[in-house]
Amino acid sequence: MKIINSIIHMQALAIAPEREGRQISFVPTMGYLHEGHASLLREGRKRGDLLVLSIFVNPIQFGKNEDLDRYPRDLERDFKLAESCGVDVVFIPTATEMYPQGFQTGISVRDISLPLCGASRPGHFDGVSTVVTKLFNIVRPDVALFGAKDYQQLAVIRRMTHDLNLPIEIVGMPIIRESDGLAMSSRNAYLTPPERQSALSLSRALKRARELFLAGECSASVLSSEVRTLIEQDPLVIIDYVEVLDGEMLQKVKYVDSVSLLALAIKIGQTRLIDNTIFGEEF
Ligand code: AMP
């Protein structure tokens, strides 16, 4: 497994397989890897001849009072997991090389970036779209894999790839959960034991909404208020949003069907967590 820090080296390495007609698959991450990342890497291994993982805590997607400085990091552990998933190249650029002095270009995907996390974290998706575009230009993948855990991010990247005619197949992968239902996230490391217990209210509320839907409840407002009531029972949890939207355009809907999205964001102490479900898909 090769570790590469410089952009020019990564670009040079990506050109050879391209010329030889070998496929590059790519999994961009912010590191502190877990089984959710591993599922993307294993699928990436199957889909490409050269599997590239990037680890970059992208400063421009963090707001002023967010957790950029304390985002968890453990490269040694990440390398072990990457190796066990068959990664060929780990690309770890520096922030100063990614955003040198004078940097002033950004990618903005309009409407789809506005609701949900876009409303709570202004500028977040501009930061994501910009870094993913840069990483695509550096790694030059044929296939890139993203998790449905960050559902809106996946939607934004699909839209951007289509709109900008990027010759890259975007693959969305299902949410990987702990055995008790909590969606895996690097940020789960922040949670104290009581907070970790409270975090279960997210997946519990999603499951409850799915049960109600299966029992015939189709009203978006009934389902979202049921979810709110359930989550509000836990005094440690503060709701950021509970939204029912159509899963493609991310527009609000009145009535839920199998392709509708229920998306949640909450805060527990200092930790912000998100989770979601598509009613017609497996949980
Ligand atoms: P991150 O390192 O949090 O930026 O995530 C990197 C990629 O892993 C993104 O495409 C995420 O959606 C994906 N990912 C993170 N957590 C999970 C999970 N629990 N299940 C599936 N994919 C995930």
Side-chain angles (χ1 to χ4, degrees), residues 27-31 33-37 39-40 61 71 145-150 153 173-177 183-187:
V27 176
T29 76
M30 299 205 297
L33 304 181
H34 50 66
E35 272 305 305
H37 299 112
S39 72
L40 272 56
Q61 74 185 64
Y71 197 82
L145 301 99
F146 294 85
K149 158 81 180 3
D150 300 272
Q153 170 174 281
M173 295 291 292
I175 301 175
I176 303 295
R177 299 177 179 280
M184 290 196 183
S185 164
S186 307
R187 290 189 167 98

Side-chain angles (χ1 to χ4, degrees), residues 135-183:
L135 289 168
F136 281 176
N137 282 324
I138 296 164
V139 175
R140 305 172 74 117
D142 300 282
V143 182
L145 301 99
F146 294 85
K149 158 81 180 3
D150 300 272
Y151 191 93
Q152 189 176 15
Q153 170 174 281
L154 173 59
V156 165
I157 286 161
R158 278 194 202 285
R159 185 77 250 168
M160 175 186 89
T161 305
H162 181 81
D163 289 353
L164 298 181
N165 309 103
L166 305 179
I168 300 167
E169 183 191 353
I170 304 298
V171 176
M173 295 291 292
I175 301 175
I176 303 295
R177 299 177 179 280
E178 302 284 359
S179 54
D180 59 8
L182 178 67

Side-chain angles (χ1 to χ4, degrees), residues 34-147:
H34 50 66
E35 272 305 305
H37 299 112
S39 72
L40 272 56
L41 290 169
R42 290 193 195 104
E43 184 62 23
R45 182 65 285 168
K46 288 187 210 150
R47 287 173 180 259
D49 305 300
L50 189 84
L51 173 59
V52 180
L53 158 72
S54 69
I55 298 178
F56 181 58
V57 182
N58 175 36
I60 68 165
Q61 74 185 64
F62 285 77
K64 251 193 181 157
N65 298 316
E66 294 182 358
D67 56 342
L68 172 63
D69 294 334
R70 63 185 192 111
Y71 197 82
R73 291 158 215 249
D74 187 343
L75 279 183
E76 288 310 314
R77 214 179 107 231
D78 289 352
F79 292 157
K80 282 191 194 129
L81 188 138
E83 199 134 41
S84 77
C85 294
V87 169
D88 297 304
V89 179
V90 189
F91 175 51
I92 314 177
T94 62
T96 41
E97 207 192 355
M98 287 292 271
Y99 303 112
Q101 237 186 358
F103 183 91
Q104 51 185 294
T105 304
I107 300 284
S108 190
V109 182
R110 285 192 286 273
D111 299 354
I112 209 166
S113 296
L114 293 178
L116 308 176
C117 291
S120 314
R121 307 180 69 188
H124 170 68
F125 287 113
D126 290 357
V128 169
S129 315
T130 303
V131 79
V132 170
T133 305
K134 283 171 68 73
L135 289 168
F136 281 176
N137 282 324
I138 296 164
V139 175
R140 305 172 74 117
D142 300 282
V143 182
L145 301 99
F146 294 85

